[in-house]
Amino acid sequence: MIKLKKNIALSESGFIFDPSTGDSYSVNQTGSEIIEYLKEGLSEDQITDKLKDTFDSDEEQLRKDLDDFLHHLRQLKMIENV
Amino acid sequence: MSDKSFKIGLTGLNAIDSPGPGVGVARCLKDADDLDIEIIGLAYETLEPGIYLHDLIKKSYQVPYPSAGTEQVFKRLSYIQSKEQLDLIIPNFDAELWNYIKLTPQLKEIGIRTFMPSLEQLDKINKLNLDEFARNNDLPSPSTKKFSSLDELEEFGREAEYPLVIKGKFYEAFIVYNIAQLAYYYNKLNAKWGLPVLVQEFVDGNEIVIAGLGDGNGNLIGAVPLRKLFITDKGKGWAGVVINDPQYLDLAEKINKLLAWKGGFEIELTRKDNGDVFLLEINPRFPAWIYTTAAAGQNMPLALVHMAMGMEQVPFQQYETGKMFVRYSWDHITDISEFQKISTLGEL
């Protein structure tokens, strides 16, 4: 299970603020949606299903792109595997 | 209308590229709802910008440099007291604290209160002693060596791993990448600040600072950590954001308790990418960005006034994360007559 770091703030415009470090980032609409799903506690499979509803792309590609995005978030220490 | 009014003397009004905290402290005090505060500026130089900001600082007096000694400083403060009847002085420069602490009993006799640490407390966090303080109290800090001879420094420098940080006894620090730079800055810092010169392990990471206030009995009245977002070539934070990480508040609590600190302070830290935190310095005064703490909900200078004047002050319990400061330069317009007054009369 993936857990988003506590207290991460996400604005409607896709601006992310990590209040424990002062780091800030910008993400696009899809990135925002994924972070919202993580906040809701959705699993990778559940997020992939959600993305399938939005994008006309095959599941393997969606999963790859999601993995890539989660890898970035992990590098930035914004998520952790529980 | 406030039920109490106080007249408070402030130093550190040099709001320049390496700003003193005086103007920030003045802004905090002018925000008081419960007190009517009038601020008197105590300036070393005729062009300290704060003394021209009359909305904040009603009147200013030139005062002797700390190196003039306690007698000269007291003589001038006595004159100022005869004109102004100050209730309290908040010194905002590291270098002047020694004089003001020494003068505390005499100032009290003429009706001026202070709220400062003891000389012993001050000595513990002195740049020369901080390494020992950190080691004795399990506070991670970069290893630091003191040098009073160029030969010894060069011997060390031949084997050392670079970069290193070389620091003056009182102020200034430079990152050096080889032995030639190490020797160059040793001579430069020795000429300006004297010996010893400090050489410190370089810790790369984000600069975190914590503004705090202790009541002198080990109680932490306030603490607000801030991440510097923009740093000038002089190493000064020009923008920063208030952050919230319990480890910084725990650290402020621990340091304040260990020192039983009385007054404002600033803790300087570096946080490495792996999350490890190192103590770099503890400054014995509020930082120049202190107004950000008031904006975030902890008006620490005002809390200091409450305590100094014997009023009740409960410790702050929270603050607002995400408050930012972005410092700017502003061409404040004044007139030559103002400059003339402070230059010729030593008063403005």
PDB file of all heavy atoms in Angstrom, chain B residues 273-285:
ATOM      1  N   ASP B 273      19.851  15.850   2.604  1.00  0.00           N
ATOM      2  CA  ASP B 273      18.799  15.189   1.822  1.00  0.00           C
ATOM      3  C   ASP B 273      18.258  13.939   2.517  1.00  0.00           C
ATOM      4  O   ASP B 273      17.093  13.589   2.369  1.00  0.00           O
ATOM      5  CB  ASP B 273      19.325  14.797   0.435  1.00  0.00           C
ATOM      6  CG  ASP B 273      19.364  16.007  -0.484  1.00  0.00           C
ATOM      7  OD1 ASP B 273      18.763  17.036  -0.112  1.00  0.00           O
ATOM      8  OD2 ASP B 273      19.998  15.926  -1.556  1.00  0.00           O
ATOM      9  N   ASN B 274      19.124  13.266   3.280  1.00  0.00           N
ATOM     10  CA  ASN B 274      18.652  12.044   3.967  1.00  0.00           C
ATOM     11  C   ASN B 274      17.868  12.358   5.236  1.00  0.00           C
ATOM     12  O   ASN B 274      17.470  11.453   5.963  1.00  0.00           O
ATOM     13  CB  ASN B 274      19.840  11.122   4.288  1.00  0.00           C
ATOM     14  CG  ASN B 274      20.786  11.725   5.303  1.00  0.00           C
ATOM     15  OD1 ASN B 274      20.519  12.791   5.872  1.00  0.00           O
ATOM     16  ND2 ASN B 274      21.902  11.061   5.541  1.00  0.00           N
ATOM     17  N   GLY B 275      17.679  13.657   5.505  1.00  0.00           N
ATOM     18  CA  GLY B 275      16.858  14.056   6.659  1.00  0.00           C
ATOM     19  C   GLY B 275      17.658  14.362   7.915  1.00  0.00           C
ATOM     20  O   GLY B 275      17.112  14.885   8.883  1.00  0.00           O
ATOM     21  N   ASP B 276      18.970  14.040   7.908  1.00  0.00           N
ATOM     22  CA  ASP B 276      19.780  14.336   9.095  1.00  0.00           C
ATOM     23  C   ASP B 276      19.910  15.846   9.274  1.00  0.00           C
ATOM     24  O   ASP B 276      20.092  16.586   8.304  1.00  0.00           O
ATOM     25  CB  ASP B 276      21.185  13.728   8.961  1.00  0.00           C
ATOM     26  CG  ASP B 276      21.152  12.218   9.070  1.00  0.00           C
ATOM     27  OD1 ASP B 276      20.098  11.697   9.480  1.00  0.00           O
ATOM     28  OD2 ASP B 276      22.162  11.573   8.735  1.00  0.00           O
ATOM     29  N   VAL B 277      19.856  16.270  10.540  1.00  0.00           N
ATOM     30  CA  VAL B 277      19.889  17.703  10.835  1.00  0.00           C
ATOM     31  C   VAL B 277      21.132  18.029  11.654  1.00  0.00           C
ATOM     32  O   VAL B 277      21.473  17.312  12.596  1.00  0.00           O
ATOM     33  CB  VAL B 277      18.606  18.095  11.618  1.00  0.00           C
ATOM     34  CG1 VAL B 277      18.701  19.517  12.148  1.00  0.00           C
ATOM     35  CG2 VAL B 277      17.381  17.962  10.721  1.00  0.00           C
ATOM     36  N   PHE B 278      21.823  19.093  11.280  1.00  0.00           N
ATOM     37  CA  PHE B 278      23.038  19.510  11.974  1.00  0.00           C
ATOM     38  C   PHE B 278      22.890  20.932  12.495  1.00  0.00           C
ATOM     39  O   PHE B 278      22.399  21.809  11.785  1.00  0.00           O
ATOM     40  CB  PHE B 278      24.242  19.460  11.021  1.00  0.00           C
ATOM     41  CG  PHE B 278      24.633  18.066  10.641  1.00  0.00           C
ATOM     42  CD1 PHE B 278      23.965  17.402   9.619  1.00  0.00           C
ATOM     43  CD2 PHE B 278      25.644  17.407  11.321  1.00  0.00           C
ATOM     44  CE1 PHE B 278      24.300  16.105   9.279  1.00  0.00           C
ATOM     45  CE2 PHE B 278      25.990  16.109  10.987  1.00  0.00           C
ATOM     46  CZ  PHE B 278      25.317  15.457   9.964  1.00  0.00           C
ATOM     47  N   LEU B 279      23.341  21.118  13.713  1.00  0.00           N
ATOM     48  CA  LEU B 279      23.307  22.454  14.332  1.00  0.00           C
ATOM     49  C   LEU B 279      24.510  23.261  13.860  1.00  0.00           C
ATOM     50  O   LEU B 279      25.654  22.824  13.999  1.00  0.00           O
ATOM     51  CB  LEU B 279      23.362  22.301  15.858  1.00  0.00           C
ATOM     52  CG  LEU B 279      23.495  23.574  16.675  1.00  0.00           C
ATOM     53  CD1 LEU B 279      22.245  24.430  16.556  1.00  0.00           C
ATOM     54  CD2 LEU B 279      23.754  23.230  18.147  1.00  0.00           C
ATOM     55  N   LEU B 280      24.255  24.420  13.269  1.00  0.00           N
ATOM     56  CA  LEU B 280      25.354  25.254  12.791  1.00  0.00           C
ATOM     57  C   LEU B 280      25.681  26.390  13.755  1.00  0.00           C
ATOM     58  O   LEU B 280      26.832  26.639  14.077  1.00  0.00           O
ATOM     59  CB  LEU B 280      25.025  25.859  11.419  1.00  0.00           C
ATOM     60  CG  LEU B 280      24.804  24.892  10.262  1.00  0.00           C
ATOM     61  CD1 LEU B 280      24.614  25.674   8.977  1.00  0.00           C
ATOM     62  CD2 LEU B 280      25.969  23.929  10.119  1.00  0.00           C
ATOM     63  N   GLU B 281      24.655  27.089  14.191  1.00  0.00           N
ATOM     64  CA  GLU B 281      24.884  28.225  15.086  1.00  0.00           C
ATOM     65  C   GLU B 281      23.666  28.471  15.947  1.00  0.00           C
ATOM     66  O   GLU B 281      22.544  28.110  15.577  1.00  0.00           O
ATOM     67  CB  GLU B 281      25.168  29.510  14.283  1.00  0.00           C
ATOM     68  CG  GLU B 281      26.582  29.571  13.764  1.00  0.00           C
ATOM     69  CD  GLU B 281      26.942  30.884  13.102  1.00  0.00           C
ATOM     70  OE1 GLU B 281      26.267  31.897  13.357  1.00  0.00           O
ATOM     71  OE2 GLU B 281      27.905  30.883  12.335  1.00  0.00           O
ATOM     72  N   ILE B 282      23.885  29.143  17.084  1.00  0.00           N
ATOM     73  CA  ILE B 282      22.770  29.679  17.878  1.00  0.00           C
ATOM     74  C   ILE B 282      23.070  31.163  18.054  1.00  0.00           C
ATOM     75  O   ILE B 282      24.127  31.532  18.585  1.00  0.00           O
ATOM     76  CB  ILE B 282      22.649  28.996  19.254  1.00  0.00           C
ATOM     77  CG1 ILE B 282      22.503  27.473  19.103  1.00  0.00           C
ATOM     78  CG2 ILE B 282      21.454  29.566  20.018  1.00  0.00           C
ATOM     79  CD1 ILE B 282      22.526  26.715  20.430  1.00  0.00           C
ATOM     80  N   ASN B 283      22.184  31.997  17.577  1.00  0.00           N
ATOM     81  CA  ASN B 283      22.377  33.446  17.701  1.00  0.00           C
ATOM     82  C   ASN B 283      21.606  33.964  18.914  1.00  0.00           C
ATOM     83  O   ASN B 283      20.451  33.602  19.119  1.00  0.00           O
ATOM     84  CB  ASN B 283      21.894  34.160  16.436  1.00  0.00           C
ATOM     85  CG  ASN B 283      22.691  33.730  15.221  1.00  0.00           C
ATOM     86  OD1 ASN B 283      23.915  33.646  15.270  1.00  0.00           O
ATOM     87  ND2 ASN B 283      22.011  33.409  14.135  1.00  0.00           N
ATOM     88  N   PRO B 284      22.233  34.841  19.701  1.00  0.00           N
ATOM     89  CA  PRO B 284      21.632  35.254  20.977  1.00  0.00           C
ATOM     90  C   PRO B 284      20.648  36.415  20.854  1.00  0.00           C
ATOM     91  O   PRO B 284      20.669  37.339  21.666  1.00  0.00           O
ATOM     92  CB  PRO B 284      22.870  35.682  21.783  1.00  0.00           C
ATOM     93  CG  PRO B 284      23.809  36.204  20.755  1.00  0.00           C
ATOM     94  CD  PRO B 284      23.567  35.405  19.506  1.00  0.00           C
ATOM     95  N   ARG B 285      19.849  36.414  19.847  1.00  0.00           N
ATOM     96  CA  ARG B 285      18.919  37.529  19.581  1.00  0.00           C
ATOM     97  C   ARG B 285      17.896  37.056  18.558  1.00  0.00           C
ATOM     98  O   ARG B 285      18.066  36.015  17.948  1.00  0.00           O
ATOM     99  CB  ARG B 285      19.670  38.740  19.021  1.00  0.00           C
ATOM    100  CG  ARG B 285      20.663  38.296  17.974  1.00  0.00           C
ATOM    101  CD  ARG B 285      20.859  39.115  16.780  1.00  0.00           C
ATOM    102  NE  ARG B 285      21.796  38.470  15.891  1.00  0.00           N
ATOM    103  CZ  ARG B 285      21.474  37.639  14.914  1.00  0.00           C
ATOM    104  NH1 ARG B 285      20.213  37.342  14.687  1.00  0.00           N
ATOM    105  NH2 ARG B 285      22.384  37.082  14.151  1.00  0.00           N
TER     106      ARG B 285
END
